[in-house]
Amino acid sequence: ALDGSDAKFQYLQGRSQKVLRLSRKLARVLHLSAESIENIQLAARLSQVGKIFVPRDIMIKRGLLTDAERRQVQLAPYHAYNVLKGVLPRRVAKIVYQMGGKVVDDPETGANHELTVDEMLFEARVLLVANDLCAMVSQRGNRPPLPLSEARQKLIQRSLYDRTVIHAVNSLDDAEIMSLLDVTEQTQQAPQAK
């Protein structure tokens, strides 16, 4: 559904496969078990499914999102978890859920708490970094893609990311990351100063 022709998902087309390739590479660099790699691969394939529940006007909006709109996007992992928990091994559904960095206790009231790195399953930490790096270097409705060097810097600066996973990212050269994420040099050009 996400890779369909609906403009709602134009910025997500192919995203699951990109996240899958990068997260699988990171899992191998980190020497994770075959079971963990399998869990990460399955979670990556389904990592964007919660976006189906985000209203269309938010998904295609140009420009910055309001706080309320951002909250709708942040609920996507919760929606994914509700869809996946009865179909997949619970750990895989939980990896997708935790990838969002928030645990939503009540979607009606928005009661939640920000997960710390230590509260997340390790597979979710890997998937979070892969997903966020992919998002940063990809075109979005509300902003152009960031250069890979700037995206790497943001990963280092934010405390939400596991340092071991960031070290694994930094062990990969730019060309390999760009290949895994299917990013061209043209989309990586820094924005022109005016």
Side-chain angles (χ1 to χ4, degrees), residues 134-140 143-148 150 183 186-191:
C134 182
M136 286 182 219
V137 301
S138 299
Q139 174 69 43
R140 302 296 289 272
R143 62 152 181 78
L146 296 178
L148 184 54
E150 190 175 332
V183 175
Q186 183 179 5
T187 62
Q188 282 294 292
Q189 305 273 331

Side-chain angles (χ1 to χ4, degrees), residues 167-186:
H167 181 71
V169 169
N170 289 333
S171 74
L172 304 176
D173 65 33
D174 287 1
E176 185 169 17
I177 291 174
M178 290 171 68
S179 174
L180 290 166
L181 296 180
D182 195 25
V183 175
T184 64
E185 286 186 42
Q186 183 179 5

Side-chain angles (χ1 to χ4, degrees), residues 156-176:
I156 292 167
Q157 292 170 344
R158 295 181 181 161
S159 61
L160 177 60
Y161 305 115
D162 185 285
R163 298 295 104 190
T164 306
V165 180
I166 298 304
H167 181 71
V169 169
N170 289 333
S171 74
L172 304 176
D173 65 33
D174 287 1
E176 185 169 17

Side-chain angles (χ1 to χ4, degrees), residues 9 24 30 54 56 100 104 107 116-117 129 141 146 148 167 175 185 190:
F9 303 116
R24 179 175 47 216
L30 292 162
V54 177
R56 187 177 198 277
V104 179
T116 66
V117 173
V129 169
L146 296 178
L148 184 54
H167 181 71
E185 286 186 42

